[in-house]
Amino acid sequence: MTTSDASTGVLRRDRQEGWIGGVAAGIARRFGVDASLVRLAFVVATAAGGVGLAAYLLGWLVIPAGDSRPTRVRIRTGRAAVEVALGTAFLLLAVLLTFRALGIWFSDAIVWPLVLIAGGGALIWRQSMGEREPRPAPAERTPEEIVRTESRRAVLAISRTGLGIALVVAAGIVFLQATGALGAARDVLFAVIAAVVVLGVIFAPWIVRLVRSLTEERAARIRSQERAEVAAHLHDSVLQTLAMMQRRAGDPAEVAALARRQERELRAWLSDRPAPGKSGTLAGALEAAAADVEEQHGVPVEVVVVGDRDLDAAHEAVVAAAREAMTNAAKFGGGSPVDVYAESSDARTQVFVRDRGPGFDPDAVPADRRGVRESIVGRMERHGGRARVTSGTGHGTEVELVLERS
Amino acid sequence: MSEPRVLIVDDHQLFRAGVRAELEPLLEIAGEAGGVEDALDAIERENPDVVLLDVHMPDGGGVEVIRRAATLSEAPPCFLALSVSDAAEDVIAIIRAGARGYVTKSISGDELAEAVRRVHEGDAVFSPRLAGFVLDAFAGPAPQPETELDALTVREREVLQHIARGYMYKEIALRLDISPKTVEAHVSSVLRKLQLSSRHELTRWAAERGLDL
């Protein structure tokens, strides 16, 4: 239970963090201490004459419930339900023991059944009234997997409810045993059990079949939804492009460009990456730049990225310089494919842009040629990096961009 | 060494015809097959030197062909995977099944013929993207530092980086001032690590394609 964020100033019961009414958690949040300490204080005060209990109940009545930190939502788990049940049972036990200590006598025939009923009842209520746990997005999983986890969850929920019921039943048995009425109750119980078994045998196959067909139907529905999504995507993208290509069949360059662009988009979609240009990572930005250059100059640009990272200002400069290098490679590389390789680690980021064109002598480039000097070398230096151009006649050209992390 | 005899395995008839037309002037074509069973029949009948293998086919795809070909004969042919897919799990799965190389279908005819010859001579063929995957997979610290299979040497890393940058083996040899044979030895060593290492990334990628290794 963290109290890292600033206390809010107003005292509110924190029902999401709390075990019972959220009183202790609320106080803990207000004063920035660990909720366990506050709870311990309540327990000690309860043991010492019942003051703690009275204070707790008073707090529950008086302190308004408030929302927990909006960013942190405590997921209701099975453990939370069990904690609530235990909390309720112990609280009640504390009350009864306190009364007994004050001289108001209870027989054990009442104390233990009441405690069991409280615990079991809290478990059942919590289970049936609690919110559904949030489900993971179905897109990442196959229908069979979804159905499997859902049914596992259902089994857990049933087992918790079952525990609650068992506690309550145990309470009844303990009470009957203690008051000596168990003998009579046993006959009734046998009759009930016999009836349940008979009905169970009659209806079991039907129930099993029903559950199974529901599960199958569910899986089929999820699958058909997925198929519809794929179909919709293919309509918007691939079929459109194919139609365009048929109409432009006379222009091979344009057909090739259309095919490349569609291939890029489809690959991004298949591998669940954001479409080029819609991503804030180095790989996404380089892919987008490559796609643009490819479209403008009709030269294939192949991008390989090892160790992706998020973009910051310096890396945006790296991408801009790389784009310039790709444009140069596409323009002067004699139509050869352009290879882009980026490797990013904690220590540094390196990008290589290479063509297999005729190459040139870097020393012979006139000083007023701004392309390389300004937008590649200058840009990298302004952002604390460096750029190097390696070229030789007949060996193609490679631009290396390096950005060391400070 | 005489030109290798090539078997083309792909479930797309159109694509087989295209590859055949490109390779026919350069290499000897042993035949074509359109599925796993056809491929195994053709391998037994024709005994090709190199099998160009599609990764995705009905009934198990290229991985299944490699696995069952190994049980058919003492000396199965070399396999070179040829696919439109560039997903890591496809690439790694077929390499771990035993393919000696992986090229994508956008490769030119000359480059493909060169890759076939290279595989036939016992070398490994890495596309820039495959080199990228390997660098990615071996990027983290080795899980079991005592086995050399789980980590790349500095030289191997350099060679892979150059492949990813688009350099040919000869160019890499020039740049690193080593012989082309040494470059090939490094690449073969990386291929061996790729096939035998128990690194988590590799086993996970392979497992995603249902390959129990």
Side-chain angles (χ1 to χ4, degrees):
Chain A
M1 217 138 293
T2 55
T3 50
S4 54
D5 26 6
S7 37
T8 50
V10 190
L11 186 55
R12 287 269 186 278
R13 277 192 292 121
D14 190 343
R15 282 190 300 193
Q16 278 169 349
E17 291 288 322
W19 285 4
I20 306 164
V23 178
I27 292 172
R29 182 153 63 96
R30 168 64 183 82
F31 297 103
V33 293
D34 195 308
S36 316
L37 287 177
V38 184
R39 288 190 187 115
L40 188 67
F42 271 120
V43 172
V44 170
T46 304
V51 186
L53 177 76
Y56 192 95
L57 291 177
L58 196 66
W60 200 342
L61 281 176
V62 176
I63 303 173
D67 284 335
S68 178
R69 279 134 279 180
T71 47
R72 279 197 58 188
V73 177
R74 175 160 173 181
I75 299 168
R76 279 171 205 272
T77 57
R79 179 187 296 239
V82 173
E83 279 171 2
V84 168
L86 277 177
T88 313
F90 281 131
L91 198 62
L92 189 72
L93 185 62
V95 178
L96 295 172
L97 290 179
T98 309
F99 279 136
R100 185 191 283 189
L102 290 175
I104 307 167
W105 184 84
F106 288 116
S107 120
D108 280 352
I110 296 182
V111 172
W112 296 113
L114 272 183
V115 168
L116 286 176
I117 283 200
L123 203 55
I124 296 171
W125 276 83
R126 175 80 181 199
Q127 197 56 50
S128 55
M129 310 296 279
E131 293 155 28
R132 302 289 311 266
E133 291 160 36
R135 288 179 222 150
E140 298 155 16
R141 303 150 43 177
T142 64
E144 286 76 12
E145 269 180 301
I146 295 172
V147 170
R148 212 179 312 134
T149 39
E150 294 252 312
S151 50
R152 199 171 56 223
R153 201 168 287 171
V155 167
L156 271 179
I158 289 170
S159 72
R160 285 198 290 270
T161 311
L163 182 64
I165 292 173
L167 283 175
V168 174
V169 169
I173 292 174
V174 168
F175 180 74
L176 293 173
Q177 168 77 38
T179 53
L182 194 60
R186 202 169 47 202
D187 296 343
V188 179
L189 196 66
F190 278 146
V192 170
I193 289 176
V196 166
V197 168
V198 167
L199 290 177
V201 169
I202 294 173
F203 287 110
W206 180 76
I207 292 172
V208 167
R209 212 166 44 234
L210 184 72
V211 168
R212 198 171 293 159
S213 73
L214 277 180
T215 315
E216 276 166 12
E217 192 247 16
R218 222 188 129 85
R221 201 175 57 232
I222 293 171
R223 223 172 331 202
S224 82
Q225 270 170 9
E226 276 179 357
R227 200 176 306 127
E229 257 171 54
V230 171
H233 178 85
L234 292 182
H235 257 283
D236 284 348
S237 55
V238 178
L239 289 180
Q240 292 277 7
T241 305
L242 286 176
M244 292 256 281
M245 285 164 70
Q246 287 171 30
R247 292 171 52 175
R248 304 283 168 84
D251 185 348
E254 183 154 355
V255 168
L258 279 169
R260 284 287 292 183
R261 186 175 62 197
Q262 184 56 62
E263 182 188 342
R264 225 175 250 285
E265 281 178 17
L266 194 59
R267 280 191 196 288
W269 187 73
L270 283 174
S271 61
D272 235 357
R273 289 190 304 247
K278 285 179 191 154
S279 126
T281 66
L282 181 65
L286 284 173
E287 291 270 2
D292 283 354
V293 172
E294 229 175 59
E295 251 174 67
Q296 279 165 25
H297 301 279
V299 171
V301 183
E302 208 55 62
V303 181
V304 175
V305 178
V306 170
D308 203 3
R309 54 165 301 127
D310 287 338
L311 281 184
D312 52 18
H315 281 88
E316 272 168 19
V318 172
V319 172
R323 175 192 288 265
E324 195 66 30
M326 288 181 221
T327 308
N328 280 346
K331 268 194 206 160
F332 306 116
S336 69
V338 178
D339 283 293
V340 179
Y341 172 66
E343 187 173 333
S344 184
S345 66
D346 290 340
R348 64 176 171 175
T349 298
Q350 272 178 303
V351 181
F352 298 88
V353 179
R354 180 163 183 272
D355 68 63
R356 293 169 201 168
F360 63 96
D361 181 357
D363 296 331
V365 175
D368 59 335
R369 271 279 300 277
R370 287 199 33 216
V372 170
R373 199 168 300 277
E374 249 323 287
S375 39
I376 299 180
V377 181
R379 195 194 299 262
M380 288 304 294
E381 279 167 2
R382 277 198 297 281
H383 286 88
R386 60 179 196 274
R388 194 177 58 181
V389 181
T390 323
S391 184
T393 317
H395 291 106
T397 305
E398 186 171 56
V399 177
E400 178 186 2
L401 312 171
V402 184
L403 186 69
E404 309 271 356
R405 303 284 304 277
S406 47
Chain B
M1 196 178 277
S2 65
E3 288 292 358
R5 298 174 68 243
V6 184
L7 175 70
I8 304 167
V9 180
D10 196 301
D11 55 336
H12 294 101
Q13 203 271 330
L14 206 62
F15 184 78
R16 289 203 304 269
V19 171
R20 186 177 197 130
E22 277 190 320
L23 289 187
E24 218 145 36
L26 305 167
L27 304 168
E28 190 185 335
I29 307 292
E32 294 175 24
V36 174
E37 299 297 334
D38 281 0
L40 291 165
D41 285 349
I43 289 171
E44 250 191 330
R45 196 176 57 239
E46 302 289 342
N47 195 22
D49 297 312
V50 177
V51 179
L52 273 181
L53 195 55
D54 188 17
V55 174
H56 289 284
M57 284 187 295
D59 304 324
V63 170
E64 185 69 15
V65 175
I66 297 181
R67 195 183 294 168
R68 285 174 52 191
T71 64
L72 276 182
S73 99
E74 291 287 300
C78 300
F79 292 96
L80 175 61
L82 180 64
S83 171
V84 288
S85 167
D86 59 5
E89 58 267 29
D90 287 336
V91 184
I92 302 298
I94 195 118
I95 293 287
R96 281 179 79 95
R100 296 207 50 88
Y102 189 102
V103 290
T104 47
K105 283 184 175 175
S106 53
I107 192 173
S108 75
D110 288 340
E111 284 176 318
L112 182 58
E114 183 56 35
V116 169
R117 287 190 198 106
R118 203 171 277 289
V119 164
H120 182 223
E121 284 161 22
D123 294 332
V125 173
F126 280 25
S127 67
R129 194 166 292 278
L130 173 54
F133 284 148
V134 179
L135 286 169
D136 240 348
F138 284 90
Q144 297 156 299
E146 64 270 21
T147 66
E148 49 103 29
L149 284 175
D150 290 339
L152 299 177
T153 65
V154 176
R155 253 310 190 232
E156 286 165 357
R157 193 173 288 278
E158 276 176 346
V159 168
L160 282 178
Q161 279 164 342
H162 277 87
I163 293 175
R165 282 156 66 179
Y167 285 96
M168 304 283 151
Y169 289 8
K170 276 186 209 126
E171 296 169 316
I172 297 172
L174 269 178
R175 288 180 61 96
L176 297 181
D177 204 15
I178 50 182
S179 77
K181 275 284 154 216
T182 314
V183 175
E184 281 162 13
H186 284 308
V187 178
S188 291
S189 159
V190 172
L191 181 82
R192 199 172 66 87
K193 289 179 179 178
L194 205 51
Q195 287 172 340
L196 300 178
S197 165
S198 56
R199 278 191 77 103
H200 168 69
E201 293 84 350
L202 300 175
T203 46
R204 177 171 57 87
W205 280 335
E208 279 172 22
R209 278 289 170 268
L211 197 65
D212 39 345
L213 288 165

